[in-house]
Amino acid sequence: MGHRLSCCRRRRLDAPGPPQPPPPPAPVRRKLLLLLIMLVLWLCMFYSCAGSCAALPGLVLLGAPPPPPAAAAAAGPPPGTGLSKLLLRAPAKAPPDELPDAPSPISSFFNGSGSKQLPQAVIIGVKKGGTRALLEFLRVHPDVRAVGAEPHFFDRNYERGLAWYRDLMPRTLDGQITMEKTPSYFVTKEAPARISAMSKGTKLIVVVRDPVTRAISDYTQTLSKKPDIPTFESLTFKNRTTGLIDTSWSAIQIGIYAKHLENWLLYFPIGQILFVSGERLISDPAGELGRVQDFLGLKRIITDKHFYFNKTKGFPCLKKAEGSSKPHCLGKTKGRPHPEIDQEVVQRLRDFYRPFNMKFYQMTGHDFGWD
């Protein structure tokens, strides 16, 4: 009897307990640890974009001690304060004369399209010279990002500040150039000093055209909007009998290129300004675009293969526009037929502009062949 009880006890003691799950194999543990680390990093990057845990990576991954109170206050509230508060909190406003910092690389990464920068190059003139064509041609280049509309910052909106101006710019990636074009800058007295104050290294591009043809084109544009304006001939002269040209008329005044360039050379060296021929932009767009790409430090990607000549419009068009696979010509407002102008008036204008043209050729070191 005692022997049987002893055997029973041994059987109960030897009986196996409830089954235990086997420990996960080493590769699985490593994967789980890796996933955990990736999750922590993702959360850290997410909160960094919200401006709330700049010190979190060091705290979590390196076991660093918590920052002192002043540093903690500067870093913002800890992650545990709630995502909704972070997202709803209004950003602090920068002083009107202070330019806020550019977006951080992490923020740019989450936006997926780079960051906004002040332009490194500006097409500053001239009106009816071919600035729109040049900008549209340049936007074909993958390393050029440009504003489509004219910002008019340095002539009409300067009081809004550089932060407002930068916000108009497209997002760019490293290595890309931000550009804008506003042709009225060239004749705006304050523009050179203002652009220089933004950046003395800004590259400037001026598209110039025979000033007589330019004046007629300028008048044609105005005539399309105001059909009841006086004739070109009557606007050209202060007194037609004496032949005195009215230089206060903007269509005439813009074409005195040498006078306007003198103002720019007070703030920028001549080598920092590229002068593009409006005539060559029509007859040899690839050649002029080659010069522009060299000036901007870009690889010559835009070549003859990008253009075809539209006989109806009378100027070159793009075989493929930016972001499109279809041919693209400038709009119907470009290439308008000019009204017939009295040839005596045209000749008087040529005589008027000749000395200014000669001076402009000397200043730029380039003969544009307008005489």
Side-chain angles (χ1 to χ4, degrees):
M1 181 68 178
H3 177 70
R4 285 197 300 271
L5 290 173
S6 176
C7 291
C8 290
R9 291 192 194 101
R10 281 200 302 271
R11 289 191 193 100
R12 283 194 295 269
L13 291 173
D14 295 339
Q20 299 293 327
V28 175
R29 288 200 298 272
R30 284 197 294 270
K31 290 181 179 179
L32 290 174
L33 180 60
L34 181 60
L35 287 173
L36 179 61
I37 293 174
M38 290 176 65
L39 178 61
V40 171
L41 287 173
W42 185 88
L43 288 173
C44 172
M45 292 173 68
F46 180 82
Y47 279 107
S48 294
C49 292
S52 59
C53 73
L56 187 59
L59 296 175
V60 174
L61 299 180
L62 302 179
T81 55
L83 178 60
S84 60
K85 292 182 180 179
L86 291 173
L87 296 178
L88 293 174
R89 184 177 56 199
K93 292 184 178 179
D97 58 345
E98 181 180 338
L99 183 67
D101 294 335
S104 68
I106 291 178
S107 176
S108 298
F109 171 80
F110 276 94
N111 286 328
S113 56
S115 58
K116 295 187 177 185
Q117 306 292 336
L118 291 170
Q120 297 91 44
V122 180
I123 301 173
I124 59 173
V126 297
K127 180 184 179 185
K128 306 309 295 180
T131 58
R132 172 56 60 184
L134 177 61
L135 185 70
E136 292 300 313
F137 295 165
L138 274 175
R139 291 173 74 175
V140 174
H141 200 292
D143 290 334
V144 171
R145 300 282 288 130
V147 185
E150 297 175 3
H152 283 281
F153 175 65
F154 295 105
D155 57 352
R156 302 178 190 171
N157 296 300
Y158 193 64
E159 73 285 350
R160 293 176 179 263
L162 285 172
W164 176 86
Y165 182 49
R166 187 173 70 184
D167 193 53
L168 298 178
M169 299 299 124
R171 295 185 180 275
T172 53
L173 303 173
D174 289 342
Q176 291 182 319
I177 291 178
T178 303
M179 292 187 66
E180 71 114 319
K181 78 105 176 170
T182 304
S184 53
Y185 291 163
F186 189 63
V187 297
T188 300
K189 187 176 180 180
E190 299 81 10
R194 290 172 175 178
I195 295 180
S196 178
M198 176 186 73
S199 172
K200 294 183 182 297
T202 305
K203 294 185 177 182
L204 308 173
I205 300 176
V206 186
V207 187
V208 288
R209 182 183 183 188
D210 181 334
V212 177
T213 308
R214 196 222 66 83
I216 297 172
S217 180
D218 196 337
Y219 172 80
T220 303
Q221 183 181 52
T222 305
L223 184 65
S224 69
K225 300 174 182 177
K226 301 176 180 178
D228 57 342
I229 62 172
T231 64
F232 180 86
E233 291 82 355
S234 62
L235 291 170
T236 297
F237 300 101
K238 283 186 176 179
N239 187 320
R240 183 156 185 185
T241 304
T242 61
L244 183 62
I245 303 294
D246 187 357
T247 56
S248 66
W249 184 28
S250 63
I252 300 296
Q253 196 257 349
I254 290 172
I256 309 175
Y257 302 140
K259 173 185 174 183
H260 305 301
L261 181 57
E262 286 177 343
N263 189 31
W264 287 89
L265 294 181
L266 296 175
Y267 299 89
F268 293 93
I270 193 71
Q272 209 166 310
I273 308 174
L274 179 69
F275 300 91
V276 175
S277 167
E279 287 82 11
R280 280 180 53 82
L281 200 56
I282 295 174
S283 63
D284 182 19
E288 286 300 278
L289 265 292
R291 294 179 58 242
V292 176
Q293 290 171 96
D294 292 346
F295 175 72
L296 295 175
L298 298 170
K299 183 179 179 181
R300 283 200 178 197
I301 290 178
I302 306 172
T303 62
D304 282 323
K305 67 182 181 181
H306 289 89
F307 301 99
Y308 74 95
F309 192 81
N310 186 306
K311 294 181 179 179
T312 303
K313 286 184 170 290
F315 52 75
C317 299
L318 289 168
K319 291 181 180 178
K320 292 181 181 180
E322 178 197 23
S324 172
S325 60
K326 298 180 179 180
H328 172 68
C329 283
L330 298 180
K332 61 182 180 180
T333 61
K334 307 298 180 181
R336 294 187 186 96
H338 292 175
E340 288 291 331
I341 305 297
D342 186 331
Q343 287 305 302
E344 180 188 353
V345 174
V346 172
Q347 188 57 50
R348 288 198 182 186
L349 275 177
R350 294 206 177 280
D351 295 339
F352 166 78
Y353 278 121
R354 186 170 294 109
F356 296 109
N357 291 344
M358 294 299 113
K359 185 176 181 181
F360 185 66
Y361 297 169
Q362 293 174 355
M363 295 171 74
T364 62
H366 184 79
D367 186 340
F368 290 90
W370 296 325
D371 298 287

